Amino acid sequence: GLEELHLSGVDISSSVPHFLANFSSLRSIKLRECSLKDKFPAAIFELPKLQVLNLANNTDLTGSFHEFRNNSLLEKVILPLTGFFGIVPESISHLKHLTVLSLSECSFSGGIPRSLSNLTQLTYLAIGEHHFTGSVPSLVSLSKLDVLELSGNKFERGCFPSWLGKLTKLSKLSLSNMNINGEIPIFLANLTKLNVLDMEENSLIGSIPSWLYNLTKLTGLDLQMNQLQGPIPNTF
């Protein structure tokens, strides 16, 4: 009958027991920073009522995604700073209730599944610091996004994807070390709710555009390690 298992911050220092996959009433599992190790039982992802899974900051915990079932109730999958690896399957689109997908600083690889664009309830998407390759599929359908982090992947060299300018609810956009070239595009001026804009360590050229300072809610702007030149606009 257990519905919530919250032990975050407890130094458990062991593997996650397989018998948890039998706890069919579990709705929420929070085991953040518990010194977990070994491989996470994939069957736990299939718990019929599971909505929240938070395993963040367990660097010795490994695992991978199997195919996701179509009737999943998962709303939050939070795995940053774990040893999860492998590909993210196209069946992730079955997680129709997902609002938070946080996978930063794991070891996922391959391409970003195009079906990610079907997760229209997402408000938080962080898939930075991985070994993802290829190109970033259009995520223009994710109109509810508040945070988008794509930094530190091995994407093909190219310009800013134009669909970024349509994600007008973004408060944080992180695009550092993404192999982006060209000038800072004017369509980013549409993102008037941005608090943080991170574009460091790319191959950006040209000058710092004056319209950038019309983003009046900015508290963080990172443009270092690019090939920008010219004066900083007086409007700064």
Side-chain angles (χ1 to χ4, degrees):
L2 189 67
E3 295 182 359
E4 297 183 359
L5 178 63
H6 295 175
L7 296 171
S8 292
V10 178
D11 189 3
I12 296 174
S13 298
S14 72
S15 57
V16 177
H18 286 259
F19 62 70
L20 283 183
N22 299 326
F23 284 36
S24 58
S25 296
L26 273 173
R27 293 185 293 104
S28 180
I29 300 174
K30 296 181 181 179
L31 300 173
R32 179 187 181 93
E33 206 166 344
C34 291
S35 300
L36 299 173
K37 55 188 177 182
D38 302 323
K39 191 168 185 178
F40 183 77
I44 291 177
F45 282 103
E46 299 178 8
L47 285 168
K49 296 182 181 180
L50 190 63
Q51 297 173 333
V52 176
L53 179 63
N54 188 342
L55 304 172
N57 293 53
N58 288 289
T59 55
D60 294 325
L61 180 68
T62 66
S64 57
F65 289 149
H66 293 183
E67 295 298 317
F68 292 102
R69 57 188 178 84
N70 199 29
N71 56 346
S72 173
L73 298 180
L74 275 169
E75 296 177 4
K76 297 180 180 181
V77 176
I78 304 171
L79 305 176
L81 286 165
T82 63
F84 271 72
F85 63 94
I87 66 167
V88 177
E90 292 286 346
S91 61
I92 196 167
S93 62
H94 291 165
L95 307 184
K96 294 179 174 58
H97 302 283
L98 207 62
T99 60
V100 175
L101 180 60
S102 181
L103 308 178
S104 295
E105 297 186 64
C106 299
S107 295
F108 289 105
S109 58
I112 294 178
R114 296 190 176 280
S115 63
L116 206 59
S117 62
N118 295 329
L119 300 178
T120 55
Q121 300 306 307
L122 276 179
T123 60
Y124 189 107
L125 176 59
I127 50 177
E129 307 301 329
H130 282 290
H131 306 289
F132 286 124
T133 55
S135 59
V136 182
S138 173
L139 302 176
V140 68
S141 58
L142 306 186
S143 58
K144 296 182 180 181
L145 275 183
D146 177 59
V147 172
L148 177 60
E149 296 182 8
L150 299 171
S151 298
N153 286 288
K154 309 298 180 185
F155 297 125
E156 296 170 355
R157 186 175 179 84
C159 299
F160 285 87
S162 59
W163 49 262
L164 282 172
K166 298 180 180 180
L167 300 180
T168 55
K169 292 186 178 180
L170 284 177
S171 68
K172 180 178 181 179
L173 178 59
S174 183
L175 304 172
S176 65
N177 192 15
M178 269 187 60
N179 216 7
I180 297 174
N181 58 14
E183 298 185 353
I184 299 174
I186 193 169
F187 56 72
L188 292 182
N190 297 332
L191 308 184
T192 56
K193 295 184 179 180
L194 279 180
N195 300 135
V196 175
L197 178 57
D198 180 4
M199 299 184 289
E200 70 166 308
E201 205 171 341
N202 284 295
S203 298
L204 302 180
I205 60 173
S207 59
I208 300 174
S210 58
W211 56 257
L212 202 56
Y213 304 108
N214 293 332
L215 303 179
T216 55
K217 295 188 177 181
L218 276 183
T219 58
L221 174 62
D222 196 339
L223 300 172
Q224 64 183 326
M225 298 180 72
N226 283 289
Q227 283 80 56
L228 298 168
Q229 55 186 331
I232 297 175
N234 290 333
T235 47
F236 179 71

